[in-house]
Every structure is written in structure tokens, then in C-alpha cells.
Amino acid sequence: MWSSLNDWLWDERFWLPPNISWAQLEDRDGLVFPHPQDTLMAVPLALALVVVRFTFERFVGLPLSRWLGVRNQIRRPAKPNATLEKHFLMKGRKPTEPQMNLLAMQCGLTLRQTQCWFRRRRNQDRPCLTKKFCEASWRFAFYLCSFISGTVVLYHESWLWTPVTCWENYPHQPLKPGLYHWYLLELSFYISLLMTLPFDTKRKDFTEQVIHHFVTIILISFSYSLNLLRIGSLVLLLHDSSDYLLEASKLFNYTHWRRLCDTLFIIFSLVFFYTRLVLFPTRILYTTYFESTVNLGTFFGYYFLNTLLMILQLLHVFWSCLILRMIYSFIKKGQMEKDVRSDVEELDSSDGEAAEECPQMKNGAAQRPGAAPTDGPRSRAAGRMANGHTPAT
């Protein structure tokens, strides 16, 4: 049964152009071609990258953050409360106002004290600045190394400068060692990102990130298995060209080097818009949609490849809108304030609220917030004057 399912799944009528079979992708005459089973090596490599990542963050990222003066914001922990904690974990992090009132009655707290508890509890789960810095430092290091490696591997290849040559003599395109190692490393990295996604800083585009990682992994595996490494390598290099700039901008944002952060973000935005909104549709999508059909025709693999590439393009448009929002904020306020994908740290206004809810009592009377203290010589003098007495001289 498994053999039948495997034969159906890898039916050459689905994945390969007409008149091309898997036998033509077998190694021969000293020439090596990619094979689908090669991609399985990416799984142990991904696990190794996870270990390398946490080692890097512990022994490089963390000391670097301290040396650059990254400081975590002091947060007051929420006081232990079983009822509120159960609601927080089981029913939601942000209760509605009727739920807040009910919880306050159950716990014997005021509404503002309950609201304060949930604010503090939400802040406890938000990642600290040091964690964000370490994550960004690892991604910056990998993306930069990957971009440099990809440039070295592809610089002398004709398809880097003329994408239409990706289809010349397809599928009889031997696999080169440099391209093999770089491609497998990229696949391993995106698998490792998917593995650590539950533990990484969650942003508002979490769903889009998951979709992006899945699509990228499928694209890399699919293009490798069908010997579409030429067009796949262009997609990878195009993405790496801007990713390291974004991570560098984040690093300087966390260190509060505003001018350098703003400069890098503007450079990143220009590179992102040009590569993702100009080069990707006009060079990559154009050659996969139109130029590829001249020699290969259309088949299921053609539609599958272009569907995945179009999903990537839609994600590019989505992230471009977020970048434009940040640029608008930059123009309006003169500096980049925050990543619009990040949760905002909620202000802990419990001090003021405690003053309002728990006024100090003096002689049975409540002292209003902001009022002068009721003890001390000035307060006693003011009291005697209010009662018709004049202070002794």
C-alpha cells in the first residue's frame, strides 16, 4: 500500500514536463543530479542549527546585548490569584468589561485592581528586550552569511543575470556542490525557524509568518526534487538581500541608536520594495509564468510552482503595507518608534489607581489623591486657620 501511494505521489505526469521522466534525473557519466531523498538531510541539519542558535544567543547575543547597553524594562509581577490566573489561561488574556466586573466581585477586588492585574499578567508574558535582541542577532548573522554565500555561489552563473537561462537544457542541469550545500542549508534554516516558532517572540503577523515558512519549505523541497534549483536559488538570494538589513535595524533599535536604526530601516525599505515588488514579479514571476512554457509547456508542477510563488508575492504586498505604515510614522514623528507587528508594552498605572482605590485614612476621613498630607506642621496650621484660628507667632 505504501509503495502504491509513493508511486502515485511521485507520478512523473504530475511533476515533470511532458516527455520527461525521473530516469533522466539519475546520476550518469560522472554527472550528479538532485534527488528528492536528499532533502531528508535537512531535518538533522535543522536540529543542529537549533543547537547552534541557542548556543549563539547564549554566548554571543546575550553578552553583546549587555555590552551595547540593552536593558530590560522593570515589570511588576501580578500577585498570585488562582481565579484570575485560571481565566487568563483558559478563557482569554483580555476579558470584557462584564467579565471584569464578575471577576472583581469573585475576588473581592475593585474593577481597577482587576484591570491592573490583567495588565501586569499580560506584560509578564511579553518577551523582554534582551530576548528580542538575541533572536535578531542570530537571524542577522545567518541572513548575512547566507546572502554572502549565495552571492559567491551564483555570481558567475548566467541565470543570475538572465533568468530565462534557468530553463535552458532542463532537466539536464547537473548539480554543483556549492549550490547543493547552500540550498540544503537554507532549507534546514527555515525548518529550524518552524521548529522554534512557538518559543520565539510572537508578533501580530504570526499567521503570515507560519504561512511564509511552510510555503518556503515546500518551495525549496519541490524545486530541489524537480531540479529547479536555478530559479529556486534566485528566489532565495532575492529574499536574503533585504532580510539581514531588517534584522540589523532591529538590533540598533533595541540599543536605542535611533539615527543608525532609522538609516538602516530606510535602506531596508528601499531594497525590500525593489526586490519584492519590482524584481520578484518582473523577473521571477514573469519567467516562471511565461518564459518557462516556451520549452516545457504547462503541467501540474508548473501550476503548483506558480501558485506557491504567487502566495509569496501576496505576503510581500502585505508586509509592504506594514512597512509603509512605519515609514508614514517616521515621516510624521521624525523617528522610527516601534515595529508595528510588535505588541506594545502596557503601562502599569497601578500606582495611581491604588491611590484612587485605597485612599489613606486620617481621623476617619479619606484623603483624596493629590491632596496635601494631613500630618506635619503645614497641615496642622492649615487646619487651625480653616477652623477660625490663627497660628501663634
Side-chain angles (χ1 to χ4, degrees):
M1 178 178 178
W2 171 253
S3 178
S4 301
L5 179 62
N6 187 61
D7 291 340
W8 174 82
L9 180 63
W10 293 104
D11 193 331
E12 56 195 27
R13 293 176 299 174
F14 290 154
W15 305 113
L16 297 177
N19 303 320
I20 294 179
S21 64
W22 291 115
Q24 295 175 265
L25 294 176
E26 293 296 329
D27 300 343
R28 62 184 183 277
D29 302 328
L31 300 177
V32 178
F33 294 89
H35 304 290
Q37 59 267 27
D38 296 344
T39 58
L40 297 177
M41 275 297 298
V43 177
L45 284 176
L47 293 173
L49 276 179
V50 172
V51 175
V52 172
R53 171 195 166 166
F54 287 120
T55 303
F56 178 91
E57 291 183 1
R58 174 65 179 85
F59 295 102
V60 178
L62 187 59
L64 183 62
S65 69
R66 292 170 179 170
W67 183 68
L68 292 175
V70 178
R71 295 291 181 267
N72 295 326
Q73 183 174 349
I74 299 176
R75 299 169 178 170
R76 293 187 176 183
K79 295 181 180 180
N81 188 305
T83 302
L84 299 183
E85 183 70 21
K86 181 179 179 181
H87 188 282
F88 183 88
L89 296 175
M90 304 296 295
K91 297 184 179 179
R93 298 161 54 92
K94 294 185 177 182
T96 61
E97 188 169 348
Q99 290 175 327
M100 282 281 194
N101 286 320
L102 180 60
L103 289 169
M105 292 176 60
Q106 292 175 350
C107 299
L109 301 173
T110 65
L111 176 61
R112 290 195 177 184
Q113 286 174 333
T114 308
Q115 291 170 340
C116 174
W117 189 94
F118 275 96
R119 273 196 300 273
R120 290 184 175 181
R121 184 63 183 82
R122 286 192 295 268
N123 283 338
Q124 282 181 215
D125 284 354
R126 291 190 172 92
C128 61
L129 206 58
T130 301
K131 176 178 171 61
K132 292 181 180 180
F133 182 93
C134 291
E135 290 180 2
S137 64
W138 162 248
R139 289 194 297 266
F140 167 76
F142 182 88
Y143 286 137
L144 181 60
C145 293
S146 178
F147 176 66
I148 294 174
S149 302
T151 303
V152 171
V153 169
L154 299 180
Y155 186 77
H156 296 290
E157 303 294 348
S158 59
W159 66 84
L160 175 63
W161 315 104
T162 312
V164 69
T165 59
C166 290
W167 317 109
E168 286 184 359
N169 200 33
Y170 178 82
H172 310 290
Q173 300 169 347
L175 178 61
K176 297 184 178 182
L179 184 57
Y180 164 77
H181 291 106
W182 179 59
Y183 220 75
L184 203 60
L185 181 65
E186 289 273 10
L187 177 58
S188 304
F189 176 72
Y190 281 102
I191 293 176
S192 72
L193 285 184
L194 204 58
M195 289 177 175
T196 59
L197 204 58
F199 312 103
D200 290 342
T201 301
K202 288 184 173 59
R203 304 184 186 277
K204 295 177 182 177
D205 62 344
F206 177 80
T207 302
E208 290 77 13
Q209 286 284 358
V210 173
I211 295 173
H212 175 269
H213 294 342
F214 269 113
V215 170
T216 302
I217 292 170
I218 295 172
L219 262 175
I220 296 175
S221 304
F222 170 77
S223 60
Y224 183 91
S225 301
L226 273 62
N227 200 18
L228 293 169
L229 277 81
R230 292 187 176 185
I231 192 65
S233 62
L234 295 183
V235 175
L236 288 175
L237 187 65
L238 182 143
H239 282 75
D240 288 344
S241 64
S242 61
D243 287 342
Y244 73 93
L245 291 170
L246 174 62
E247 301 304 329
S249 176
K250 290 180 183 178
L251 291 176
F252 290 111
N253 179 48
Y254 300 146
T255 57
H256 301 292
W257 294 13
R258 296 297 185 187
R259 183 163 299 180
L260 190 53
C261 167
D262 296 344
T263 302
L264 282 172
F265 184 81
I266 294 301
I267 296 174
F268 156 75
S269 301
L270 295 175
V271 174
F272 185 94
F273 291 144
Y274 180 66
T275 55
R276 311 291 179 95
L277 300 183
V278 179
L279 285 183
F280 190 82
T282 61
R283 305 287 283 179
I284 305 297
L285 292 181
Y286 180 80
T287 193
T288 57
Y289 268 90
F290 303 108
E291 294 175 339
S292 65
T293 60
V294 174
N295 296 326
L296 306 179
T298 59
F299 54 104
F300 177 78
Y302 163 85
Y303 295 108
F304 185 75
L305 172 67
N306 284 291
T307 298
L308 294 177
L309 291 175
M310 185 55 66
I311 292 174
L312 277 185
Q313 182 59 23
L314 293 176
L315 291 173
H316 296 164
V317 174
F318 169 78
W319 281 315
S320 297
C321 293
L322 296 185
I323 294 171
L324 286 174
R325 285 177 56 190
M326 296 182 69
I327 293 176
Y328 172 77
S329 175
F330 174 76
I331 295 174
K332 185 177 180 181
K333 300 180 180 179
Q335 70 175 20
M336 208 65 60
E337 288 197 333
K338 64 180 181 66
D339 186 344
V340 295
R341 303 173 303 153
S342 302
D343 283 338
V344 180
E345 185 89 8
E346 296 182 80
L347 295 177
D348 187 0
S349 55
S350 59
D351 294 337
E353 290 169 358
E356 292 182 15
E357 297 166 9
C358 306
Q360 296 180 0
M361 305 298 292
K362 187 69 174 180
N363 296 330
Q367 180 179 326
R368 296 182 57 82
T374 56
D375 55 351
R378 289 191 179 182
S379 299
R380 288 192 293 271
R384 286 194 295 269
M385 291 181 69
N387 291 328
H389 302 289
T390 58
T393 58

